[in-house]
Amino acid sequence: MTPILYQECIDACLKSMNACNHSYVASLKEYDLAVLRHSIRLDRECADICSFAIQAMTRQSPFVGSILRLCAEICDACAAENSNHIHIHCQACIDACRSCAEACRSISEVVEVYA
Amino acid sequence: MTPILYQECIDACLKSMNACNHSYVASLKEYDLAVLRHSIRLDRECADICSFAIQAMTRQSPFVGSILRLCAEICDACAAENSNHIHIHCQACIDACRSCAEACRSISEVVEVYA
Amino acid sequence: MTPILYQECIDACLKSMNACNHSYVASLKEYDLAVLRHSIRLDRECADICSFAIQAMTRQSPFVGSILRLCAEICDACAAENSNHIHIHCQACIDACRSCAEACRSISEVVEVYA
Amino acid sequence: MTPILYQECIDACLKSMNACNHSYVASLKEYDLAVLRHSIRLDRECADICSFAIQAMTRQSPFVGSILRLCAEICDACAAENSNHIHIHCQACIDACRSCAEACRSISEVVEVYA
């Protein structure tokens, strides 16, 4: 039902939200969670904007371009922070966030052209 | 990354959010949108709780049982309202909302048992 | 508890969300809702980003600057659309959205300087 | 613009979201954050449902009764968890969450009667 244009980006946002929330929960269970405090905060930030972006795409928001640019910015920051940590769940975030940032930027450029 | 338990329900919520937001946008473009005013409102309500439920599952919320029961209640109401309308996008909502309500109730019963 | 810096902007976002959601509900009850279809959509967009911005400020999001810039952009668009309509609830949106856009821009400039 | 009925409850939810997000941020900065791991998680859960409840009230959701019952349940759990901790920001949560739970239950009973 969602225009094909968005489907790939919705999937990328869902994977990123998933990875971030998984890492958030896992980090809060770690013995050494003190070193993960920034990562925990960014995981939540990233999951929240991904969730917002997903719904914006499904309702074909007229502001999808700007929303996805914001999502890409936060995904980049989350990937950067998680790359400071060797935990498997942090490493999984890096890939998911980077792919999501890339997908968001691709769409926001296409939307720009059509606007 | 999401526990397999939730994956099916996340998919059902995503499909329901998608169908509701698609119907919302399509309804607002209809010539006879006056007959769809209740449907438009319920589509938004349903999309919003589905979005909330999806994120709650990905972060393994301790309140997933109650959140999914609420989601099922709103999905049921949205399916009922949309069944008053013959528009294709309304009909598509009925199936998506009913499947979502069912998936949410299955999980909330399982969660109950484990709690 | 929220840093004083944000309190005024949180209030402005809450007023804007309130006015937009009130106009959304009232529009869907109007006899001539067909002329209000764009306004209905923008009211929802604006309420959703205001809600997101409020929570971002209360959790002192590191991305408050970018989030508030997006909020200001959507508030401006919502005010512009509502200024096409003479309904009292549309007129009430204009003021609330413009004040909110202004408050968001003030904060995002201050945040910029500190960053 | 919001019906007077809801104004007090919106304020209570805002105060609760504020206290929870403040405690969330403060907890993640504590030296002994390991003892606060459950509290951090519940603070986020509580802030998220409060945010959802606030928007639901401003858009006069037909599901306000059920949404506020869920909000009260999560506020109670968050107050209970925070009462295990002597940190000032945790103690501040207890009051805010309890007041919010009470306000939510009052409204949901009133709504019940009118429904």
Side-chain angles (χ1 to χ4, degrees), chain B residues 9-22:
Chain B
C9 190
I10 289 174
D11 289 345
C13 285
L14 192 59
K15 274 182 193 152
S16 174
M17 175 170 72
N18 225 350
C20 288
N21 273 334
H22 176 79

Side-chain angles (χ1 to χ4, degrees), chain D residues 11-59:
Chain D
D11 288 347
C13 286
L14 191 60
K15 274 183 193 151
S16 174
M17 174 171 73
N18 224 351
C20 288
N21 273 333
H22 176 78
S23 186
Y24 170 88
V25 171
S27 294
L28 283 169
K29 289 178 179 163
E30 294 282 356
Y31 177 74
D32 60 341
L33 83 165
V35 301
L36 294 166
R37 46 182 105 218
H38 293 303
S39 174
I40 290 167
R41 251 184 111 177
L42 285 188
D43 286 341
R44 181 185 176 187
E45 292 290 329
C46 196
D48 281 2
I49 190 63
C50 285
S51 174
F52 191 83
I54 293 168
Q55 222 213 123
M57 285 185 273
T58 67
R59 72 172 180 264

Side-chain angles (χ1 to χ4, degrees), chain A residues 1-3 7 10-11 14-15 17-19 21-22 24-25 29 44 47-48 51-52 54-56 58-60 89 92, chain B residues 1-3 7 10-11 14-15 17-19 21-22 24-25 29 44 47-48 51-52 54-56 58-60 89 92:
Chain A
M1 212 119 21
T2 309
Q7 196 53 59
I10 290 175
D11 289 346
L14 192 60
K15 274 182 193 151
M17 175 171 72
N18 225 350
N21 273 333
H22 176 79
Y24 169 88
V25 171
K29 290 178 178 163
R44 180 183 176 189
D48 281 1
S51 173
F52 191 84
I54 293 168
Q55 223 213 122
T58 67
R59 73 171 180 266
Q60 298 177 46
H89 52 83
Chain B
M1 212 119 21
T2 308
Q7 196 52 61
I10 289 174
D11 289 345
L14 192 59
K15 274 182 193 152
M17 175 170 72
N18 225 350
N21 273 334
H22 176 79
Y24 169 88
V25 171
K29 288 178 180 163
R44 180 184 176 188
D48 281 2
S51 173
F52 191 83
I54 293 166
Q55 224 214 121
T58 66
R59 74 172 179 265
Q60 299 178 45
H89 52 84

Side-chain angles (χ1 to χ4, degrees), chain C residues 18 22-23 41 114:
Chain C
N18 225 350
H22 176 79
S23 187
R41 252 184 110 177
Y114 278 91

Side-chain angles (χ1 to χ4, degrees), chain B residues 19-68:
Chain B
C20 288
N21 273 334
H22 176 79
S23 187
Y24 169 88
V25 171
S27 294
L28 283 169
K29 288 178 180 163
E30 292 283 356
Y31 176 75
D32 61 339
L33 85 165
V35 302
L36 295 167
R37 46 182 105 217
H38 292 303
S39 175
I40 291 166
R41 253 184 109 177
L42 285 187
D43 287 341
R44 180 184 176 188
E45 292 290 329
C46 196
D48 281 2
I49 190 64
C50 285
S51 173
F52 191 83
I54 293 166
Q55 224 214 121
M57 284 184 274
T58 66
R59 74 172 179 265
Q60 299 178 45
S61 165
F63 307 102
V64 140
S66 299
I67 292 167
L68 293 184

